[in-house]
Amino acid sequence: MNANIEELRKGTELIKRGFAKMQKGGVIMDVTSAEQATIAEEAGAVAVMALERVPSDIRAEGGVARMADPKKIKEIMKAVSIPVMAKCRIGHVAEAMILQELGVDMIDESEVLTPADPFYHIDKRNFTVPFVCGARDLGEALRRIYEGAAMIRTKGEAGTGNVIEAVRHMRMIMGAIRDLKGKSNEECISYAREIKAEPEFVIETAKLQRLPTVNFAAGGIATPADAVLMMLMGADGVFVGSGIFKSENPPEVAEAIVKAVANYKNPEVLLSVSTGLGSAMKGLEIDKLKESLQIRGI
Amino acid sequence: MCLTAHYICNWIMLNITIYLNHCEFGMTVAILSIQGDVSEHIYITEKTLKKLNINEHAVAVSSLTDFDKHETISAVIIPGGESTVILKLMKNENLLKRMKMLSEKGTIFFGTCAGAILLSTKIINSDIVPLSIIDIEIERNSYGRQKDSFETDIKIDGLDKPFRAIFIRAPVIRGTGKNVEILSTYNSLPVLVRSGKNMASTFHPELTDNTEIHELFLKQIIKE
């Protein structure tokens, strides 16, 4: 072989972020069984998130929410050919090690599960598997990217079926990025201190006029219209949690959200997929929540 | 009488304006924008067109209406993403038929990863009939899951230096028809192929800054 040919490398930053880029324009769905995973795949999900319980059940039942049993995740991995993601607790390096060993395609270090570390997130640069993390504003997003997240999603307020918090977080992130437009490096460095982010990443974000990684919407998306609202605000794609399998017609709702996201600028398609879907998940008002998940791990 | 003429004149002007708004003159490189890394392809295509001094633009197309807006599409690029999702949504939209028609009329195609699956004649272990523009048999996720994704330097016919190739849950080309030229292999399996002027790669040249593979493809739209 030619001496110039460099050897093979796995788990690099390029490969991790590259994987996230392949999800763009897609819908990632929460599933709790192989059957649900198959329904999601047939509906056109770009990936599935394997869970023990969907966020709305975690909220209702309480208790400590942990990583799902690897046996269940394995069953889901066997059932579908699309990527399978799984959640670990914030800061729980050991759960992340187990999920990487299991071979999931992406790990969500998620506030939906009960946090394991009161101080730190996982140093995700030490892993070869890509990570996605939640964020409420630009500072949080860039801190997670610095730690090695290959994908960012809004936190929203999971398990509520109420889109307002996802909208709030997307507005916070996108607004801050727009404010950075045309700022000098000095201004970016000073702003970085203010939002507790790495200056280098603030400068990069100002220049790119977007996050350096893919940015999805998540946390409270329940209908095709919710998903489209997030796409119109600049999301690269959406996660739908309880919204699908807590609705009256999961396969129809799943397919409707996929079509809506793919055609988010086309009102004709949106009207057609939104018509006659049956009742969506019931949903909760944010003011009346006992517990806010979004303040975990900031 | 004069007033009628005035109305007719206005009506004609209005229609011309509508027509101009809906038609972009000149040639276009269409990037299929159903799902996947569309913006990366738009970026590298624009960069390549500029470098080659070709007076065309890269435009995202996602529906039949989008295709109708462009008078001449000289090339179509199909990005990476989830091939199952892209194929499912295209069937709904009747886009497969339209793309096949464009190919028959001389538009050239380039597909990367999921795009290569769409251009193939047969997807192994699947009943879905893809575009059949390049005579290859292809197997999805053939190297394994994301943990088996890799980057490596490969040698490509027509390029002097090795090319950094990014393979993400990549497919493998298991068979090639007799009109298919193999431009590069990795572990003796084809990873970049050409059939006529249509090309397919199982890796992602759009994830690097290197425009050389896009140059190989887009050079072909220059009329001699």
Side-chain angles (χ1 to χ4, degrees):
Chain A
M1 264 243 156
N2 192 318
N4 287 330
I5 301 277
E6 205 197 304
E7 54 175 324
L8 172 148
R9 291 172 66 194
K10 290 182 177 181
T12 61
E13 210 53 39
L14 199 55
I15 293 169
K16 292 197 265 185
R17 286 192 188 183
F19 169 79
K21 285 176 178 172
M22 298 311 144
Q23 310 297 307
K24 288 200 297 181
V27 181
I28 300 169
M29 302 180 190
D30 277 4
V31 297
T32 57
S33 66
E35 297 78 64
Q36 287 188 355
T38 311
I39 292 173
E41 183 176 41
E42 276 167 12
V46 77
V48 291
M49 178 74 68
L51 285 164
E52 200 86 45
R53 297 177 286 171
V54 292
S56 66
D57 287 339
I58 293 176
R59 206 176 261 291
E61 290 162 21
V64 174
R66 309 181 179 93
M67 170 190 84
D69 186 335
K71 182 173 172 244
K72 173 154 279 173
I73 302 172
K74 224 179 194 168
E75 283 167 14
I76 291 169
M77 285 163 69
K78 243 191 214 148
V80 293
S81 68
I82 53 177
V84 175
M85 306 180 179
K87 287 183 197 285
C88 75
R89 286 180 263 175
I90 290 174
H92 209 313
V93 182
E95 282 188 351
M97 280 167 60
I98 292 169
L99 292 175
Q100 172 165 283
E101 190 58 31
L102 180 62
V104 299
D105 297 291
M106 183 172 242
I107 297 176
D108 185 358
E109 187 183 16
S110 175
E111 71 283 358
V112 170
L113 304 184
T114 312
D117 191 320
F119 304 112
Y120 308 116
H121 278 75
I122 296 170
D123 182 0
K124 295 165 272 289
R125 295 168 301 183
N126 289 331
F127 285 80
T128 52
V129 61
F131 276 78
V132 52
C133 284
R136 296 172 309 159
D137 53 39
L138 185 59
E140 235 179 292
L142 294 181
R143 284 197 290 282
R144 300 294 90 81
I145 293 171
Y146 181 75
E147 293 156 3
M151 182 191 219
I152 294 295
R153 55 169 176 77
T154 59
K155 281 178 169 172
E157 194 56 57
T160 60
N162 189 340
V163 80
I164 186 170
E165 294 303 301
V167 170
R168 186 193 309 279
H169 302 157
M170 192 55 83
R171 288 246 182 262
M172 295 288 288
I173 292 171
M174 293 306 194
I177 294 174
R178 274 190 293 272
D179 286 346
L180 282 174
K181 197 171 189 178
K183 284 238 177 3
S184 69
N185 284 2
E186 294 89 328
E187 288 169 312
C188 287
I189 292 165
S190 159
Y191 183 66
R193 263 185 234 121
E194 214 175 287
I195 63 168
K196 296 185 186 141
E198 204 58 28
E200 187 195 324
F201 285 160
V202 175
I203 293 168
E204 190 185 352
T205 304
K207 206 173 289 165
L208 291 173
Q209 275 298 293
R210 59 157 296 134
L211 284 182
T213 65
V214 166
N215 181 23
F216 268 48
I221 294 156
T223 66
D226 287 349
V228 169
L229 176 65
M230 301 312 299
M231 293 301 287
L232 290 172
M233 270 191 279
D236 291 317
V238 298
F239 283 87
V240 186
S242 325
I244 290 169
F245 291 100
K246 287 287 169 190
S247 71
E248 201 180 349
N249 300 310
E252 287 81 359
V253 171
E255 198 172 336
I257 295 179
V258 168
K259 277 191 198 161
V261 167
N263 297 282
Y264 72 96
K265 287 180 186 159
N266 185 341
E268 206 181 316
V269 175
L270 303 183
L271 169 63
S272 131
V273 302
S274 302
T275 306
L277 270 185
S279 59
M281 71 179 282
K282 186 145 180 298
L284 299 164
E285 265 185 81
I286 304 295
D287 295 348
K288 297 188 177 133
L289 293 179
K290 271 193 236 131
E291 194 175 17
S292 170
L293 303 181
Q294 58 176 282
I295 54 168
R296 293 168 164 181
I298 54 178
Chain B
M1 187 64 197
C2 185
L3 203 63
T4 320
H6 177 77
Y7 278 131
I8 291 171
C9 195
N10 265 356
W11 183 81
I12 292 169
M13 287 302 286
L14 180 72
N15 275 288
I16 290 173
T17 323
I18 290 170
Y19 180 74
L20 286 175
N21 282 340
H22 284 76
C23 264
E24 285 177 34
F25 291 106
M27 309 279 272
T28 304
V29 177
I31 316 289
L32 187 69
S33 171
I34 306 276
Q35 188 272 319
D37 65 339
V38 177
S39 58
E40 284 71 13
H41 266 294
I42 291 181
Y43 177 80
I44 198 165
T45 301
E46 286 280 347
K47 196 168 153 186
T48 309
L49 289 170
K50 212 171 276 170
K51 199 167 170 189
L52 293 174
N53 241 330
I54 301 173
N55 189 22
E56 294 193 24
H57 282 288
V59 177
V61 290
S62 59
S63 62
L64 289 175
T65 342
D66 283 353
F67 272 110
D68 291 339
K69 275 186 209 163
H70 302 285
E71 214 178 357
T72 2
I73 293 173
S74 48
V76 174
I77 296 178
I78 309 177
E82 271 305 312
S83 59
T84 50
V85 178
I86 303 175
L87 273 164
K88 181 186 160 61
L89 289 164
M90 281 178 66
K91 239 164 90 194
N92 292 338
E93 276 270 340
N94 257 327
L95 278 175
L96 280 170
K97 245 188 235 160
R98 174 62 66 92
M99 305 231 304
K100 189 89 194 150
M101 211 174 78
L102 281 172
S103 169
E104 277 155 15
K105 282 186 180 166
T107 299
I108 62 172
F109 282 74
F110 179 32
T112 66
C113 197
I117 297 174
L118 263 81
L119 292 179
S120 72
T121 36
K122 172 151 182 54
I123 308 170
I124 292 167
N125 294 328
S126 165
D127 303 326
I128 299 169
V129 182
L131 284 163
S132 308
I133 287 173
I134 300 180
D135 189 9
I136 49 174
E137 268 192 45
I138 200 159
E139 187 177 32
R140 288 180 61 219
N141 304 340
S142 212
Y143 295 95
R145 309 194 73 91
Q146 169 65 9
K147 68 177 165 62
D148 308 300
S149 294
F150 61 97
E151 54 174 291
T152 191
D153 286 345
I154 55 172
K155 280 197 75 172
I156 290 168
D157 281 2
L159 301 186
D160 301 334
K161 280 182 272 168
F163 191 92
R164 192 76 186 154
I166 321 285
F167 293 85
I168 294 176
R169 287 173 51 98
V172 164
I173 297 170
R174 294 286 177 198
T176 51
K178 63 177 189 306
N179 297 324
V180 177
E181 209 184 329
I182 296 167
L183 299 180
S184 180
T185 58
Y186 175 72
N187 272 350
S188 31
L189 290 164
V191 292
L192 179 67
V193 295
R194 182 163 52 198
S195 165
K197 289 180 175 178
N198 302 305
M199 287 170 64
S201 71
T202 59
F203 55 93
H204 294 280
E206 75 279 12
L207 292 183
T208 63
D209 272 337
N210 192 338
T211 55
E212 284 175 301
I213 289 179
H214 279 72
E215 283 173 44
L216 281 181
F217 174 67
L218 290 167
K219 259 197 316 219
Q220 305 179 113
I221 62 179
I222 303 172
K223 295 255 154 51
E224 268 117 70

